[in-house]
PDB file of all heavy atoms in Angstrom:
ATOM      1  N   ILE A  34      15.106   3.004  -8.103  1.00 98.00           N
ATOM      2  CA  ILE A  34      15.374   1.817  -7.258  1.00 98.00           C
ATOM      3  C   ILE A  34      15.329   2.277  -5.806  1.00 98.00           C
ATOM      4  O   ILE A  34      15.925   3.294  -5.309  1.00 98.00           O
ATOM      5  CB  ILE A  34      16.766   1.283  -7.582  1.00 98.00           C
ATOM      6  CG1 ILE A  34      16.796   0.690  -9.008  1.00 98.00           C
ATOM      7  CG2 ILE A  34      17.173   0.270  -6.516  1.00 98.00           C
ATOM      8  CD1 ILE A  34      18.195   0.203  -9.460  1.00 98.00           C
ATOM      9  N   TYR A  35      14.645   1.523  -4.956  1.00 99.00           N
ATOM     10  CA  TYR A  35      14.545   1.756  -3.499  1.00 99.00           C
ATOM     11  C   TYR A  35      15.365   0.644  -2.848  1.00 99.00           C
ATOM     12  O   TYR A  35      15.169  -0.522  -3.123  1.00 99.00           O
ATOM     13  CB  TYR A  35      13.185   1.696  -2.985  1.00 99.00           C
ATOM     14  CG  TYR A  35      12.194   2.670  -3.646  1.00 99.00           C
ATOM     15  CD1 TYR A  35      11.463   2.367  -4.797  1.00 99.00           C
ATOM     16  CD2 TYR A  35      12.099   3.993  -3.134  1.00 99.00           C
ATOM     17  CE1 TYR A  35      10.656   3.334  -5.373  1.00 99.00           C
ATOM     18  CE2 TYR A  35      11.257   4.966  -3.697  1.00 99.00           C
ATOM     19  CZ  TYR A  35      10.553   4.607  -4.832  1.00 99.00           C
ATOM     20  OH  TYR A  35       9.755   5.540  -5.364  1.00 99.00           O
ATOM     21  N   GLY A  36      16.436   0.944  -2.072  1.00 98.00           N
ATOM     22  CA  GLY A  36      17.225  -0.130  -1.550  1.00 98.00           C
ATOM     23  C   GLY A  36      18.142   0.301  -0.411  1.00 98.00           C
ATOM     24  O   GLY A  36      18.173   1.418   0.046  1.00 98.00           O
ATOM     25  N   VAL A  37      19.028  -0.679  -0.074  1.00 98.00           N
ATOM     26  CA  VAL A  37      20.159  -0.411   0.908  1.00 98.00           C
ATOM     27  C   VAL A  37      21.374  -0.988   0.276  1.00 98.00           C
ATOM     28  O   VAL A  37      21.425  -2.194  -0.009  1.00 98.00           O
ATOM     29  CB  VAL A  37      19.758  -1.059   2.247  1.00 98.00           C
ATOM     30  CG1 VAL A  37      20.985  -0.834   3.265  1.00 98.00           C
ATOM     31  CG2 VAL A  37      18.508  -0.486   2.906  1.00 98.00           C
ATOM     32  N   PRO A  38      22.429  -0.177   0.145  1.00 98.00           N
ATOM     33  CA  PRO A  38      23.717  -0.726  -0.400  1.00 98.00           C
ATOM     34  C   PRO A  38      24.410  -1.748   0.467  1.00 98.00           C
ATOM     35  O   PRO A  38      24.210  -1.712   1.678  1.00 98.00           O
ATOM     36  CB  PRO A  38      24.578   0.502  -0.629  1.00 98.00           C
ATOM     37  CG  PRO A  38      23.747   1.623  -0.220  1.00 98.00           C
ATOM     38  CD  PRO A  38      22.572   1.158   0.497  1.00 98.00           C
ATOM     39  N   VAL A  56      18.483   6.304  -7.517  1.00 98.00           N
ATOM     40  CA  VAL A  56      18.704   5.245  -6.511  1.00 98.00           C
ATOM     41  C   VAL A  56      18.604   5.907  -5.222  1.00 98.00           C
ATOM     42  O   VAL A  56      19.295   6.763  -4.822  1.00 98.00           O
ATOM     43  CB  VAL A  56      20.184   4.742  -6.709  1.00 98.00           C
ATOM     44  CG1 VAL A  56      20.424   3.600  -5.729  1.00 98.00           C
ATOM     45  CG2 VAL A  56      20.371   4.210  -8.236  1.00 98.00           C
ATOM     46  N   LEU A  57      17.537   5.398  -4.460  1.00 98.00           N
ATOM     47  CA  LEU A  57      17.211   5.981  -3.148  1.00 98.00           C
ATOM     48  C   LEU A  57      17.606   4.978  -2.083  1.00 98.00           C
ATOM     49  O   LEU A  57      17.147   3.904  -1.984  1.00 98.00           O
ATOM     50  CB  LEU A  57      15.808   6.295  -3.049  1.00 98.00           C
ATOM     51  CG  LEU A  57      15.397   7.390  -4.004  1.00 98.00           C
ATOM     52  CD1 LEU A  57      13.941   7.230  -4.473  1.00 98.00           C
ATOM     53  CD2 LEU A  57      15.513   8.744  -3.485  1.00 98.00           C
ATOM     54  N   SER A  58      18.671   5.459  -1.232  1.00 98.00           N
ATOM     55  CA  SER A  58      19.132   4.538  -0.266  1.00 98.00           C
ATOM     56  C   SER A  58      18.401   4.787   1.065  1.00 98.00           C
ATOM     57  O   SER A  58      18.260   5.878   1.527  1.00 98.00           O
ATOM     58  CB  SER A  58      20.671   4.873  -0.017  1.00 98.00           C
ATOM     59  OG  SER A  58      21.436   4.225  -1.024  1.00 98.00           O
ATOM     60  N   PHE A  59      18.017   3.675   1.729  1.00 98.00           N
ATOM     61  CA  PHE A  59      17.217   3.720   2.949  1.00 98.00           C
ATOM     62  C   PHE A  59      18.201   3.304   4.073  1.00 98.00           C
ATOM     63  O   PHE A  59      19.301   2.901   3.867  1.00 98.00           O
ATOM     64  CB  PHE A  59      16.009   2.786   2.801  1.00 98.00           C
ATOM     65  CG  PHE A  59      14.891   3.356   2.035  1.00 98.00           C
ATOM     66  CD1 PHE A  59      15.001   3.605   0.698  1.00 98.00           C
ATOM     67  CD2 PHE A  59      13.678   3.666   2.618  1.00 98.00           C
ATOM     68  CE1 PHE A  59      13.943   4.125  -0.042  1.00 98.00           C
ATOM     69  CE2 PHE A  59      12.667   4.141   1.798  1.00 98.00           C
ATOM     70  CZ  PHE A  59      12.765   4.382   0.485  1.00 98.00           C
ATOM     71  N   ARG A  60      17.576   3.335   5.317  1.00 98.00           N
ATOM     72  CA  ARG A  60      18.305   2.851   6.475  1.00 98.00           C
ATOM     73  C   ARG A  60      18.022   1.363   6.764  1.00 98.00           C
ATOM     74  O   ARG A  60      18.685   0.741   7.627  1.00 98.00           O
ATOM     75  CB  ARG A  60      18.016   3.817   7.633  1.00 98.00           C
ATOM     76  CG  ARG A  60      18.388   5.278   7.311  1.00 98.00           C
ATOM     77  CD  ARG A  60      19.724   5.507   6.959  1.00 98.00           C
ATOM     78  NE  ARG A  60      20.646   5.143   7.969  1.00 98.00           N
ATOM     79  CZ  ARG A  60      21.170   6.066   8.756  1.00 98.00           C
ATOM     80  NH1 ARG A  60      21.058   7.365   8.586  1.00 98.00           N
ATOM     81  NH2 ARG A  60      21.907   5.730   9.820  1.00 98.00           N
ATOM     82  N   GLU A 466      13.911   6.373   9.188  1.00 98.00           N
ATOM     83  CA  GLU A 466      13.871   6.819   7.843  1.00 98.00           C
ATOM     84  C   GLU A 466      13.605   8.385   7.767  1.00 98.00           C
ATOM     85  O   GLU A 466      13.641   8.894   6.648  1.00 98.00           O
ATOM     86  CB  GLU A 466      12.864   6.064   7.005  1.00 98.00           C
ATOM     87  CG  GLU A 466      13.016   4.544   6.929  1.00 98.00           C
ATOM     88  CD  GLU A 466      14.389   4.090   6.212  1.00 98.00           C
ATOM     89  OE1 GLU A 466      14.943   4.948   5.547  1.00 98.00           O
ATOM     90  OE2 GLU A 466      14.787   2.951   6.490  1.00 98.00           O
ATOM     91  N   GLU A 468      15.702  10.370   8.549  1.00 98.00           N
ATOM     92  CA  GLU A 468      17.028  10.788   7.969  1.00 98.00           C
ATOM     93  C   GLU A 468      16.983  10.673   6.484  1.00 98.00           C
ATOM     94  O   GLU A 468      17.418  11.595   5.788  1.00 98.00           O
ATOM     95  CB  GLU A 468      18.115   9.899   8.531  1.00 98.00           C
ATOM     96  CG  GLU A 468      19.590  10.425   8.234  1.00 98.00           C
ATOM     97  CD  GLU A 468      20.046  10.044   6.893  1.00 98.00           C
ATOM     98  OE1 GLU A 468      19.714   8.919   6.288  1.00 98.00           O
ATOM     99  OE2 GLU A 468      20.798  10.714   6.247  1.00 98.00           O
ATOM    100  N   THR A 469      16.312   9.714   5.956  1.00 99.00           N
ATOM    101  CA  THR A 469      16.204   9.497   4.480  1.00 99.00           C
ATOM    102  C   THR A 469      15.374  10.674   3.960  1.00 99.00           C
ATOM    103  O   THR A 469      15.774  11.215   2.890  1.00 99.00           O
ATOM    104  CB  THR A 469      15.571   8.091   4.159  1.00 99.00           C
ATOM    105  OG1 THR A 469      16.255   7.069   4.903  1.00 99.00           O
ATOM    106  CG2 THR A 469      15.673   7.764   2.688  1.00 99.00           C
ATOM    107  N   ARG A 472      17.455  13.678   3.968  1.00 98.00           N
ATOM    108  CA  ARG A 472      18.578  13.590   2.925  1.00 98.00           C
ATOM    109  C   ARG A 472      18.109  13.933   1.600  1.00 98.00           C
ATOM    110  O   ARG A 472      18.908  14.598   0.899  1.00 98.00           O
ATOM    111  CB  ARG A 472      19.159  12.150   3.064  1.00 98.00           C
ATOM    112  CG  ARG A 472      20.324  11.876   2.179  1.00 98.00           C
ATOM    113  CD  ARG A 472      21.166  10.624   2.591  1.00 98.00           C
ATOM    114  NE  ARG A 472      20.440   9.699   3.413  1.00 98.00           N
ATOM    115  CZ  ARG A 472      19.934   8.467   3.024  1.00 98.00           C
ATOM    116  NH1 ARG A 472      20.119   8.108   1.788  1.00 98.00           N
ATOM    117  NH2 ARG A 472      19.269   7.712   3.957  1.00 98.00           N
ATOM    118  N   TYR A 473      17.011  13.407   1.209  1.00 98.00           N
ATOM    119  CA  TYR A 473      16.459  13.683  -0.103  1.00 98.00           C
ATOM    120  C   TYR A 473      15.502  14.950  -0.191  1.00 98.00           C
ATOM    121  O   TYR A 473      14.925  15.268  -1.141  1.00 98.00           O
ATOM    122  CB  TYR A 473      15.683  12.512  -0.758  1.00 98.00           C
ATOM    123  CG  TYR A 473      16.647  11.278  -0.871  1.00 98.00           C
ATOM    124  CD1 TYR A 473      16.488  10.166  -0.140  1.00 98.00           C
ATOM    125  CD2 TYR A 473      17.688  11.294  -1.827  1.00 98.00           C
ATOM    126  CE1 TYR A 473      17.356   9.078  -0.267  1.00 98.00           C
ATOM    127  CE2 TYR A 473      18.587  10.288  -1.923  1.00 98.00           C
ATOM    128  CZ  TYR A 473      18.383   9.134  -1.204  1.00 98.00           C
ATOM    129  OH  TYR A 473      19.224   8.066  -1.403  1.00 98.00           O
TER     130      TYR A 473
END
Side-chain angles (χ1 to χ4, degrees):
I34 293 175
Y35 301 92
V37 177
V56 181
L57 296 149
S58 283
F59 285 63
R60 305 302 295 259
E466 302 297 342
E468 188 276 330
T469 313
R472 182 163 19 106
Y473 295 113

